[in-house]
Amino acid sequence: MKHQILVVEDEAGIREAIAIYLRTQGYEVAEAGNGEEALAYIEANEVLLDVMMPVMDGIQLVMKLREHYDFPIIFLSAKSQDIDKINGLQIGADDYMTKPFGSMELIARVHACLRRYEQI
């Protein structure tokens, strides 16, 4: 099954780079620049999103998504304090990566997250 992944990131350069990494691995990728745009692409199989975004931040988005959906969500954030990671995981994210991150680690975490969801 070909997975579609929604990348939600307000910095266009980072969003496009992540999309390229994922497409080279065979994923279909949708992109959004903020939480409101992300809600328009909600049929994605997995969401990679930034915490700090305009309009609707990542925390608000995940809380809204978890009211109705159960697909993998990975936070990508410059916020690297333990409390930020713990908060992100407690509100419903499946993983939390801090920026900057390596493309190979990102792909490995996406694969691991999808593998866990496919086993459920």
Side-chain angles (χ1 to χ4, degrees):
M1 174 165 86
K2 193 168 195 174
H3 293 281
Q4 182 183 26
I5 298 175
L6 174 59
V7 178
V8 187
E9 166 64 59
D10 61 323
E11 293 184 40
I14 293 172
R15 184 175 63 245
E16 291 166 8
I18 293 168
I20 290 168
Y21 300 149
L22 295 169
R23 286 184 181 113
T24 62
Q25 295 296 311
Y27 295 108
E28 291 181 16
V29 180
E31 300 177 40
N34 62 56
E36 282 187 359
E37 288 178 17
L39 290 175
Y41 295 103
I42 218 54
E43 66 275 356
N45 291 339
E46 180 173 16
V47 179
L48 295 169
L49 61 101
D50 190 8
V51 173
M52 298 180 294
M53 296 182 294
V55 185
M56 178 188 297
D57 69 24
I59 299 293
Q60 293 170 322
L61 176 59
V62 169
M63 290 180 353
K64 218 176 229 322
L65 291 174
R66 287 300 184 224
E67 291 174 6
H68 304 286
Y69 302 99
D70 183 36
F71 46 71
I73 297 174
I74 299 174
F75 271 124
L76 306 174
S77 179
K79 297 180 91 176
S80 61
Q81 298 293 318
D82 286 346
I83 192 67
D84 298 315
K85 296 174 189 177
I86 291 165
N87 187 38
L89 294 168
Q90 285 182 335
I91 60 115
D94 295 284
D95 201 351
Y96 190 109
M97 293 183 67
T98 57
K99 296 174 186 175
F101 51 85
S103 61
M104 297 306 291
E105 180 183 3
L106 173 65
I107 297 302
R109 287 178 184 247
V110 167
H111 287 311
C113 209
L114 288 172
R115 184 175 58 246
R116 283 191 302 273
Y117 267 78
E118 288 172 347
Q119 291 175 356
I120 295 176

